[in-house]
Amino acid sequence: MAKDSTDLFGALFDQRKPTSSDPVSAVPVLVPLPAPGPYSYAVPDGMVVEPGSVVQVPLGPRQVIGVVWDKSDGNAVDPKKLRPITKTFDCPPIREEMRRFIDWVAAYTLSPPGLVARMALRAPAAFDPEPMIEGLRLTEARPERLTPARERVLELAAEGHAWTKSGLANAAGVSASVIEGLAKQGIFESVFLPAPAVVAEPDPDYTEPRLEGPQRQAASEILEDVKKGGFAVSLIDGVTGSGKTEVYFEAVAETLRQGKQVLILLPEIALTASFLERFQDRFGSKPAEWHSDLSPRMREKVWRQTVTGEVRVVAGARSALFLPFDNLGLIIVDEEHDPAYKQEDRVYYNARDMAVVRARIADFPVVLVSATPSVESQVNGTSGRYNTIHLHTRFGDAAMPDLHLVDMRRHPPERGGFLSPVLLRGIAKTMEKGEQSLLFLNRRGYAPLTLCRVCGHRFQCPQCSSWLVEHRFRSQLQCHQCGHNQPTPDHCPECGTFDHLAACGPGVERIAEEVEKHFPEARTIVLSSDLMGVKRLRLELEAIVKGEADIVIGTQLVAKGHNFPLMTLVGIVDADIGLANGDPRAAERTFQLLSQVTGRAGRTGLKSHGLLQTYQPQHPVMQAIVSGDAAAFYEREVIEREKALLPPFGRLASVIISADTRAEAETHARGLRASAPQASGIMLLGPAEAPLALIRGRYRFRLLVHGKRNSDMQSFMRAMLGSGPKERGSIHVQVDIDPQSFL
């Protein structure tokens, strides 16, 4: 976290708290819209509200949802001049610490508070209690004829519990018609039951934890913070397969024993299935899920039962951070380094950093977990802000894979191919042993560029400054920025020549084609977000675990969190791909990604290998990967960041100005530049065209603000935006504090 976050904490923590003597005839209500703050509304006679109450209010001609917010020291408003609150929902109020968290995120990210509150109010149908469901309870009457099926039903119902019709039929192993027949005879009476829980309550003592010496020691350190209570940040830095999940499960168990709730953040939906199984093995039930693939009905149930405290553990994507828990006592951020924790839409925030803030506000522990921690977390660990717990060895004495660089200048692939003879021999040997190989290439589709050999025409997206990617399995050219797609043509649209279109470079589909050529008998699975939904992905992952594939070809979907028992060879098709851009985090991300991918091999103790195809074998990242000397890599990366005053030793903020025309965007960007105040320790760069200068038909310019660690970046940005030209017409300005992407 940046140093000035302390000042923001203080400003928000010192807000005046309402007292019982405060007048309740007028209250501020925060609505989930991009408004600069709450609006004032009158409280009708007989209506009772408090800060956090979820209400319905008129806004223009519409009725919208809102939250009664904390009073400020502003001027009093005459309630007679205000529109009244329309309705209060029968829903527990949003807790004070959650309201303070929303204010903090809004202030830090320079976002309208209403948009931040909107993320906490994403299930409007859940604000009223779930309707009761009809059930059956046994009466004193008895059936005229007693069949074996009816006897089983009566035996279960005799315990005195009320049942749903389907639940009783399933438990007794009979059809629903048997239950209906008994009900018609008056054997059962109708009763109404509360809606069932989305998941059963987890049992912290369901199974004995499987921990060895290093894991047991790590768990004891985290448990000390959980038992002691209060804010603390622990960083579990453990190699792949070292038992990090089992370690933080002990913190989860202790929090549950204390009667509190737990939030576990995961970066990818693809990780959820295997994680849920591991959680159920340990606690006897699954946690509630929260991610974009949930049905609206399930989303409402999880939201409602989280705010009432019925759901004890939630496992979800970054948006789960804004669920209004009843009594949250622990947050786990798994794979804390992952870029997926950064949201880059409407409210730009990093869920890892905001998780630390939420724990600080509510005063409970947070645990960050990674095999390759971010540089920011590493620095916080070495400086003593975080308690770092190291796990240097794999669980069960399983060995890390032997890693080797394949110099593509010395071992080039055959003409038209992308797999070196060294990697092909490795795959063949692995198949002979009945084991699995993973080929990793972080590039979707068949080829990233298609051009005409005759005139040189390149297929580009009509709405973006990016090439169209060929997806041969679907016979389409697609833009990965805006989603535009078109059928793959058989001739050049520029010169009209047939059969002279060339696919340049490889994607996973092209690698699959090459594998099929060399190993026609192999069972091959291609894993890419372009090819499957979540359900199919889970089925494919299960097939790999069961040994129903010989060669797996995948993008970063396979890079982390998966445990493939028979995987003993990992081949990196293009290890250099992440180094060829101007991103200041390029080296760090490449190191993290390659370390995570090669970590898929040998997790169950089998002898394993990793082969990294590279044209830069002397690059520090490549040397750090094969040597296993992560400490040396991080030390060098920290030194470079410190020299350049890059995060965490400096601060960055990005401003993207977009418009329908290039001239509009550039003019507005220059106007903002001219309005920037003079501030010690802060430098403004630009405006310049963004690397992706055109996306979805909108032209983009960028300003980059660079400051020292103690710079008041938020005040500088507010002053610049406040005195600069206003957004008019097609102009849109997006602010990103602590940017992760520089495109």
Side-chain angles (χ1 to χ4, degrees):
M1 301 298 301
K3 185 173 180 179
D4 72 333
S5 65
T6 305
D7 300 330
L8 279 171
F9 271 131
L12 292 172
F13 283 6
D14 291 340
Q15 286 183 329
R16 187 175 68 89
K17 314 236 177 357
T19 66
S20 58
S21 61
D22 286 333
V24 293
S25 54
V27 294
V29 176
L30 187 63
V31 296
L33 296 170
Y39 296 124
S40 294
Y41 285 89
V43 181
D45 290 341
M47 180 182 288
V48 178
V49 298
E50 62 179 301
S53 294
V54 181
V55 297
Q56 179 178 291
V57 294
L59 188 67
R62 296 182 297 157
Q63 294 287 330
V64 299
I65 304 297
V67 180
V68 177
W69 218 242
D70 300 278
K71 290 182 179 293
S72 65
D73 290 324
N75 296 327
V77 182
D78 183 358
K80 295 179 182 178
K81 298 180 180 180
L82 300 175
R83 301 175 76 181
I85 295 173
T86 310
K87 174 184 177 181
T88 60
F89 290 93
D90 186 6
C91 171
I94 306 301
R95 293 175 65 91
E96 181 197 5
E97 56 261 30
M98 186 64 187
R99 303 195 304 273
R100 292 160 69 194
F101 176 62
I102 289 171
D103 279 336
W104 200 98
V105 173
Y108 188 82
T109 63
L110 301 182
S111 303
L115 284 187
V116 182
R118 183 174 181 267
M119 295 189 290
L121 301 172
R122 296 301 294 270
F127 299 154
D128 279 322
E130 293 184 67
M132 304 284 277
I133 59 175
E134 189 174 357
L136 301 171
R137 186 165 54 203
L138 190 64
T139 66
E140 303 253 340
R142 288 296 173 264
E144 300 171 359
R145 187 170 57 89
L146 196 61
T147 64
R150 288 179 170 181
E151 191 171 355
R152 292 199 300 275
V153 171
L154 294 175
E155 185 178 344
L156 280 172
E159 298 175 1
H161 301 299
W163 292 78
T164 62
K165 184 191 299 182
S166 59
L168 183 55
N170 288 334
V174 302
S175 66
S177 61
V178 175
I179 310 296
E180 290 169 358
L182 290 170
K184 286 179 181 178
Q185 294 183 37
I187 308 303
F188 290 105
E189 62 179 350
S190 292
V191 294
F192 286 93
L193 306 173
V198 290
V199 288
E201 185 169 335
D203 179 2
D205 302 307
Y206 180 75
T207 57
E208 188 72 22
R210 293 176 58 246
L211 300 175
E212 296 178 345
Q215 292 82 24
R216 192 175 295 109
Q217 175 61 33
S220 67
E221 288 190 49
I222 294 179
L223 283 175
E224 187 177 340
D225 287 336
V226 175
K227 290 177 179 178
K228 183 172 57 178
F231 172 69
V233 185
S234 298
L235 170 64
I236 303 179
D237 176 5
V239 298
T240 54
S242 60
K244 297 184 293 295
T245 303
E246 284 70 21
V247 168
Y248 73 66
F249 274 174
E250 295 315 294
V252 172
E254 179 58 30
T255 305
L256 291 174
R257 292 187 191 103
Q258 295 176 4
K260 298 178 182 178
Q261 294 169 292
V262 179
L263 170 61
I264 303 174
L265 294 178
L266 303 169
E268 301 279 356
I269 298 175
L271 300 178
T272 307
S274 59
F275 174 83
L276 295 179
E277 291 175 5
R278 295 176 70 176
F279 189 95
Q280 186 171 25
D281 290 343
R282 172 65 179 84
F283 296 100
S285 67
K286 293 181 179 180
E289 298 179 59
W290 184 267
H291 49 70
S292 59
D293 199 49
L294 281 185
S295 67
R297 181 67 181 133
M298 181 56 69
R299 180 178 289 267
E300 292 158 11
K301 284 177 170 286
V302 172
W303 192 96
R304 178 77 192 189
Q305 295 183 21
T306 299
V307 77
T308 59
E310 296 169 76
V311 163
R312 302 292 305 284
V313 181
V314 174
R318 60 177 182 252
S319 59
L321 186 62
F322 290 89
L323 280 171
F325 286 83
D326 173 58
N327 187 20
L328 186 59
L330 176 69
I331 298 178
I332 308 288
V333 185
D334 208 345
E335 307 288 357
E336 64 87 26
H337 67 278
D338 199 290
Y341 283 124
K342 177 72 175 187
Q343 173 163 300
E344 297 179 327
D345 179 41
R346 289 180 176 251
V347 179
Y348 282 47
Y349 69 92
N350 189 312
R352 176 200 63 210
D353 297 341
M354 296 303 105
V356 175
V357 172
R358 184 160 188 191
R360 170 66 180 84
I361 289 174
D363 199 28
F364 60 72
V366 60
V367 179
L368 311 180
V369 186
S370 178
T372 53
S374 63
V375 170
E376 287 87 347
S377 293
Q378 288 277 12
V379 171
N380 280 330
T382 55
S383 67
R385 297 187 69 188
Y386 296 173
N387 173 34
T388 304
I389 300 166
H390 296 283
L391 290 170
H392 298 294
T393 58
R394 282 185 159 180
F395 184 80
D397 294 325
M400 295 293 291
D402 293 328
L403 303 180
H404 303 278
L405 298 176
V406 179
D407 190 339
M408 297 294 278
R409 299 167 300 181
R410 297 178 54 195
H411 306 284
E414 64 182 38
R415 185 177 179 83
F418 300 93
L419 303 179
S420 72
V422 177
L423 182 52
L424 291 172
R425 287 195 297 269
I427 296 172
K429 290 179 181 178
T430 303
M431 287 183 60
E432 289 173 7
K433 294 186 290 184
E435 296 167 357
Q436 295 172 324
S437 301
L438 169 63
L439 298 181
F440 172 78
L441 176 63
N442 199 22
R443 186 182 281 153
R444 297 176 286 160
Y446 183 85
L449 170 65
T450 301
L451 57 77
C452 175
R453 292 192 186 97
V454 176
C455 70
H457 172 75
R458 299 183 177 196
F459 287 83
Q460 183 172 343
C461 176
Q463 302 179 84
C464 304
S465 51
S466 60
W467 308 121
L468 293 177
V469 177
E470 181 181 357
H471 289 261
R472 190 159 293 187
F473 290 178
R474 299 201 305 260
S475 300
Q476 284 186 342
L477 297 176
Q478 184 177 18
C479 173
H480 286 175
Q481 298 301 324
C482 70
H484 167 84
N485 63 80
Q486 61 191 60
T488 304
D490 55 4
H491 66 280
C492 174
E494 190 72 24
C495 67
T497 306
F498 283 81
D499 301 325
H500 276 74
L501 299 181
C504 302
V508 286
E509 295 177 18
R510 194 168 194 175
I511 299 302
E513 185 179 84
E514 187 173 352
V515 166
E516 175 68 22
K517 170 187 167 185
H518 289 284
F519 307 100
E521 74 287 359
R523 299 170 298 172
T524 304
I525 289 180
V526 179
L527 295 180
S528 171
S529 58
D530 291 313
L531 303 176
M532 59 193 67
V534 173
K535 290 183 179 178
R536 183 183 165 190
L537 174 60
R538 290 179 177 178
L539 291 175
E540 299 281 33
L541 292 172
E542 289 174 9
I544 297 169
V545 171
K546 294 175 183 176
E548 297 172 2
D550 301 309
I551 303 173
V552 180
I553 303 160
T555 61
Q556 63 179 358
L557 278 177
V558 299
K560 49 192 173 289
H562 305 297
N563 187 15
F564 303 133
L566 295 177
M567 191 75 68
T568 58
L569 174 67
V570 171
I572 309 296
V573 176
D574 186 354
D576 307 323
I577 192 171
L579 299 173
N581 61 55
D583 189 336
R585 292 185 174 88
E588 175 191 4
R589 286 183 173 163
T590 300
F591 175 80
Q592 290 167 339
L593 187 57
L594 298 185
S595 297
Q596 294 281 347
V597 175
T598 53
R600 297 312 102 202
R603 293 169 68 92
T604 55
L606 296 173
K607 180 70 174 175
S608 59
H609 303 273
L611 298 173
L612 290 77
Q613 296 188 158
T614 176
Y615 288 93
Q616 307 177 68
Q618 298 307 314
H619 194 285
V621 171
M622 302 304 157
Q623 292 298 314
I625 292 287
V626 295
S627 68
D629 193 354
F633 169 78
Y634 279 112
E635 182 180 355
R636 182 168 48 251
E637 192 70 11
V638 167
I639 290 173
E640 293 299 319
R641 297 271 188 98
E642 193 168 14
K643 284 181 182 177
L645 289 181
L646 289 173
F649 303 100
R651 301 196 61 198
L652 294 174
S654 173
V655 184
I656 295 290
I657 302 96
S658 63
D660 290 343
T661 67
R662 186 182 187 280
E664 281 183 290
E666 183 176 11
T667 300
H668 194 90
R670 293 192 180 280
L672 284 179
R673 167 74 193 230
S675 67
Q678 294 295 320
S680 175
I682 294 181
M683 177 171 55
L684 182 60
L685 306 173
E689 279 192 321
L692 287 174
L694 181 67
I695 293 182
R696 295 181 178 87
R698 293 181 61 81
Y699 294 84
R700 305 166 75 242
F701 275 75
R702 185 180 70 178
L703 292 164
L704 188 64
V705 186
H706 182 202
K708 295 180 180 179
R709 184 170 183 172
N710 60 352
S711 301
D712 189 350
M713 188 73 73
Q714 277 77 7
S715 293
F716 177 88
M717 300 289 288
R718 287 192 192 94
M720 180 178 72
L721 296 171
S723 60
K726 305 307 176 188
E727 297 180 44
R728 292 185 177 88
S730 68
I731 296 290
H732 178 66
V733 177
Q734 180 61 61
V735 177
D736 185 0
I737 304 292
D738 305 329
Q740 295 289 310
S741 171
F742 291 84
L743 296 179

